[in-house]
Amino acid sequence: MVADAIAQYMGKSKAEEMDFWTGEEFRRFIDSVMNKRLSYMAFMTLYWTGMRLGELLALNPKDVDLEKRTIAITKSYQRLGKKDVITSTKDIESKRVITIPEFLAADIKDYM
């Protein structure tokens, strides 16, 4: 009974089908934006962490711990009306600390 209630709460009743890139498709794409540093860093971070775009756009240097190789997700960017707004994450479960690969930490350090 409780499990049914939890299952009904999670996700949409009719989830939309999602397409994912294969590893090879991502490598081809990331190679094509290699010379666009901001795009390269954004897509590398999104790909290797799984964070949402709004979470990426709300990041600041204090959220990144290069020694521990982590990124703290505590807020999200939204465009409400004609205003840019930083809000708390979608829900309490969305607040998290993501461990990042060593190569991504090195790229982020160089970028910052």
Side-chain angles (χ1 to χ4, degrees):
M1 188 94 140
V2 171
D4 289 339
I6 292 171
Q8 290 174 0
Y9 172 74
M10 293 174 56
K12 299 176 183 176
S13 60
K14 288 194 172 196
E16 299 162 13
E17 188 172 317
M18 295 178 69
D19 292 324
F20 293 92
W21 281 343
T22 64
E24 178 57 32
E25 289 170 327
F26 178 74
R27 281 188 287 283
R28 281 197 319 258
F29 170 78
I30 208 67
D31 285 347
S32 73
V33 297
M34 185 76 75
N35 61 342
K36 298 173 183 155
R37 193 69 175 147
L38 178 61
S39 296
Y40 175 84
M41 287 308 309
F43 281 101
M44 284 291 286
T45 303
L46 290 168
Y47 183 81
W48 290 102
T49 65
M51 71 177 69
R52 297 173 182 92
L53 179 59
E55 295 168 341
L56 174 76
L57 294 172
L59 288 178
N60 62 51
K62 294 184 288 187
D63 298 321
V64 180
D65 186 330
L66 293 171
E67 285 185 29
K68 292 181 182 176
R69 293 191 352 252
T70 60
I71 299 175
I73 305 299
T74 59
K75 55 198 172 305
S76 185
Y77 164 88
Q78 296 182 55
R79 182 100 173 142
L80 300 174
K82 294 184 179 184
K83 288 181 140 183
D84 296 330
V85 180
I86 302 295
T87 62
S88 57
T89 56
K90 194 166 92 172
D91 49 48
I92 194 71
E93 293 85 15
S94 296
K95 288 187 178 187
R96 61 203 184 278
V97 176
I98 300 171
T99 301
I100 58 175
E102 195 170 324
F103 64 86
L104 184 58
D107 280 351
I108 291 170
K109 182 179 180 179
D110 288 345
Y111 180 77
M112 290 172 52

